[in-house]
Amino acid sequence: MTTSTPALAADLKSFIEGLPKAELHLHIEGTLEPELLFALAQRNQVQLPYATVEELRAAYAFSDLQSFLDLYYAGAAVLQTEQDFYEMTASYIGHCRSDNVRHAEIFFDPQTHTERGIGIEIVFAGIARALREARDAHGFSSAIIMSFLRHLPEEEAFITLEAALPLRDQYRDLWIGIGLDSAERGNPPEKFTNVFARCRQLGFHLVAHAGEEGPPEYVRDALDMLHVERIDHGVRSEEDPVLMARLAKQRTPLTVCPLSNLKLCVVNDMTEHNLARLLHAGLAVTINSDDPAYFGGYMNANYLAVAESLQLSRTELVKLTRNSFEASFLPIAEKQRLLLELDGYCMAH
Ligand code: ADE
Ligand code: ZN
C-alpha cells in the first residue's frame, strides 16, 4: 500500500472529526475487536487458533471478500450470551460517540449465530439493550437491519425470518429493515426474490450488498428483483453507464466503505478509489466503515483516508455527510433535525 498524497491539514482533519454524520453500513459482528474477541473466548471457553491478540491481528491480511469472511465467521463463534452481544454493541457505540456519529443503522447476521445453536432472541436482546441504553443516556439514534447470508439457500432465509417475526413487536423501535450480505459472487440477488417480496409485504425497508465484488448486473437486479431502497457498496456500478445514469436520476444511495474496499483488494490503492467520481456523477454516495475491527478504522478513519487520498474539499465532505442523513431511514422530522445540526456545524466552522 503506497500513498504519495500530502498529509491532511490539521484544520481539515479536525473539521472532519467534528462533522455530525450517520453510519448506514456497519456489521455489528465486524466491530468485534481482537481484545474483546480474546476476552470472550476465555469467558466462554472457546479455543482460538491464535496465541495472542497480536497474532490474531496479524492474520487480518485479506486477498478478497471470501478470505475475510472465513476469519469473520470463525471470530463470531466467541459470541454466545446476551451479555456478549451487549458488550460488543456498547463498544461500537463508544466509537460512534467519539467520531460524532449521530445515527447508525446496524446490520446483524442471525444465521451466523443460530447455526451454532445460539437463539435468535439472545442476539436481538443483547444488541437492543446496548442501543436502548445509549438512546436513553445520550440520545444516540439507531436502528437495526437483519441480514440474510447469501451463501445459504433462500429457504434458510425464510426460516430465519419466521423465527424473528414473533420478536417484531418487542423490537419495533429498532428493527426497521432487511439486508443481504456474505459471499457475493455466484449468489445473485435473484436467489432471494421470494423472501425479499415477503419482507416487502411485511413493510420492512430493504437493502442489499451488490457491486462490491459482483458485477453491475447484480446492482441492477437488486433494484429490479429485490426492490431495495439502498445499495451497500455498489462501487462496480461505474462499469455500466446506463446503470450510473439510473442511480444518479433516482438518487439511489450507495453505502460505500473505503477502508473495506482497500483491505479486500476491491481497489489497489486509496488514490484509485472511485468515491469522488461517483459523487461527481451525481450519485447519493455515503461513507461507512463496514467491519471496522477488521479493516483498520471506524467512521472518522474512513473519512480521513478518502479526504487525504482523494483530496476532497470541505464542500465534498459536507455533501457526503448530508447524503448520510438524507439516505437514512429516519423519519423526516429527525432527518431535518440532524441536517440542521450539520448546517449549524458548517456555519460555526
Ligand atoms: N459481511 C460482513 N462484511 C461484508 C462485506 N463487506 N461484504 C459482504 N458481506 C459482508
Ligand atoms: Zn458490508
Side-chain angles (χ1 to χ4, degrees):
M1 216 185 299
T2 56
T3 166
S4 53
T5 49
L8 273 188
D11 62 336
L12 186 57
K13 182 167 183 285
S14 70
F15 176 75
I16 291 168
E17 288 166 347
L19 268 172
K21 41 186 88 71
E23 168 128 89
L24 306 178
H25 183 160
L26 180 281
H27 303 263
I28 199 65
E29 294 90 348
T31 67
L32 188 55
E33 290 286 348
E35 289 77 8
L36 183 58
L37 198 154
F38 259 79
L40 296 183
Q42 198 162 37
R43 188 156 91 192
N44 296 325
Q45 292 168 4
V46 175
Q47 286 289 329
L48 294 176
Y50 305 95
T52 62
V53 165
E54 291 69 36
E55 217 181 277
L56 174 60
R57 219 182 270 284
Y60 293 178
F62 310 114
S63 51
D64 58 9
L65 176 57
Q66 191 60 54
S67 65
F68 155 69
L69 290 172
D70 292 342
L71 220 105
Y72 165 83
Y73 294 130
V78 302
L79 294 161
Q80 306 215 342
T81 65
E82 189 264 3
Q83 180 68 18
D84 300 342
F85 287 94
Y86 167 82
E87 286 178 27
M88 174 175 64
T89 308
S91 161
Y92 167 64
I93 295 164
H95 287 282
C96 287
R97 286 170 45 75
S98 347
D99 283 3
N100 286 301
V101 173
R102 291 282 186 272
H103 172 72
E105 296 181 3
I106 297 170
F107 299 131
F108 67 112
D109 293 331
Q111 287 160 295
T112 302
H113 314 297
T114 51
E115 268 196 334
R116 303 179 287 112
I118 311 296
I120 196 165
E121 67 288 348
I122 288 175
V123 183
F124 267 92
I127 297 171
R129 178 157 66 97
L131 297 177
R132 286 172 176 161
E133 239 176 56
R135 181 184 60 203
D136 296 345
H138 314 290
F140 181 70
S141 165
S142 62
I144 54 177
I145 297 177
M146 184 176 89
S147 299
F148 300 129
L149 298 181
R150 70 199 304 159
H151 66 272
L152 298 176
E154 185 182 49
E155 177 63 19
E156 294 192 25
F158 266 116
I159 292 169
T160 304
L161 179 64
E162 290 312 318
L165 281 179
L167 304 172
R168 193 172 185 193
D169 277 346
Q170 201 179 331
Y171 295 105
R172 216 168 260 281
D173 57 324
L174 290 168
W175 184 16
I176 55 155
I178 295 291
L180 184 65
D181 58 15
S182 192
E184 188 183 4
R185 284 203 210 108
N187 295 298
E190 64 172 287
K191 186 174 158 185
F192 294 91
T193 307
N194 297 314
V195 74
F196 267 66
R198 173 82 182 117
C199 293
R200 192 168 174 226
Q201 242 174 17
L202 289 164
F204 286 109
H205 286 293
L206 304 178
V207 299
H209 283 54
E212 177 186 18
E213 281 192 344
E217 292 74 41
Y218 283 19
V219 175
R220 191 193 61 210
D221 291 349
L223 295 171
D224 292 338
M225 295 181 171
L226 306 185
H227 303 283
V228 299
E229 296 155 80
R230 293 196 302 242
I231 296 289
D232 296 312
H233 293 294
V235 288
R236 286 196 58 195
S237 303
E238 201 182 25
E239 295 166 29
D240 179 344
V242 174
L243 177 63
M244 284 288 280
R246 174 180 178 185
L247 293 171
K249 182 157 182 252
Q250 294 178 182
R251 293 286 293 164
T252 306
L254 301 190
T255 62
V256 176
C257 307
L259 287 173
S260 164
N261 294 153
L262 186 62
K263 279 293 254 187
L264 301 188
C265 307
V266 171
V267 292
N268 295 321
D269 191 285
M270 198 60 97
T271 57
E272 291 165 20
H273 200 288
N274 65 3
L275 176 110
R277 293 198 299 274
L278 296 171
L279 186 69
H280 297 157
L283 274 67
V285 284
T286 66
I287 292 181
N288 308 271
S289 71
D290 206 4
D291 302 284
Y294 292 88
F295 299 151
Y298 289 77
M299 281 289 269
N300 282 354
N302 275 274
Y303 270 86
L304 292 169
V306 285
E308 181 172 329
S309 295
L310 305 178
Q311 299 181 40
L312 300 182
S313 65
R314 281 189 183 222
T315 308
E316 289 165 327
L317 290 158
V318 171
K319 181 69 184 156
L320 288 160
T321 56
R322 178 168 291 281
N323 286 349
S324 75
F325 294 126
E326 286 174 349
S328 75
F329 293 134
L330 280 168
I332 194 92
E334 273 304 290
K335 275 189 197 183
Q336 277 164 354
R337 186 183 65 76
L338 289 162
L339 287 165
L340 276 177
E341 187 190 334
L342 175 61
D343 290 341
Y345 179 84
C346 294
M347 291 220 275
H349 294 81

